Amino acid sequence: MDIEDDYRPISCDFHDILEAAATLRKPVTVEFRDAQAGIQHRQARIADLETRADGEYMRLDTGESIRFDRIVSIDGIRLADFRP
């Protein structure tokens, strides 16, 4: 099952959490949904936050890019607990 491809903006408060983690360059544990709606986990640093034509992404120091609306949690802080 593929997940929906239309980007849905995330909460500004959750975005602030991503920015803080990227600025501090601290390792984080990221839980996210892949293109098939499976749950993935990564432990990495956020190398950059990027805006692209199809949405906003965080680029990890592993080289992977994760679209913001596919994030489930970062260091246990759940995106679903924030209102867009």
Side-chain angles (χ1 to χ4, degrees):
M1 171 177 139
D2 288 343
I3 61 176
E4 197 174 305
D5 205 32
D6 292 334
Y7 178 71
R8 290 176 296 168
I10 66 167
S11 154
C12 291
D13 292 330
F14 194 81
H15 191 280
D16 290 346
I17 291 168
L18 297 176
E19 283 183 340
T23 300
L24 295 173
R25 301 198 43 79
K26 69 175 194 150
V28 293
T29 300
V30 181
E31 183 179 16
F32 63 97
R33 296 189 188 286
D34 62 23
Q36 292 74 39
I39 299 293
Q40 299 287 325
H41 296 87
R42 298 290 183 277
Q43 178 137 4
R45 287 181 172 82
I46 300 172
D48 199 10
L49 303 178
E50 307 169 333
T51 301
R52 301 180 191 168
D54 64 335
E56 295 180 283
Y57 290 78
M58 68 176 173
R59 187 169 42 84
L60 303 178
D61 64 357
T62 62
E64 297 172 285
S65 290
I66 301 168
R67 201 167 77 182
F68 285 2
D69 61 345
R70 293 187 179 165
I71 298 170
V72 173
S73 68
I74 182 167
D75 284 345
I77 302 168
R78 296 181 48 81
L79 173 59
D81 292 341
F82 294 81
R83 298 186 80 146

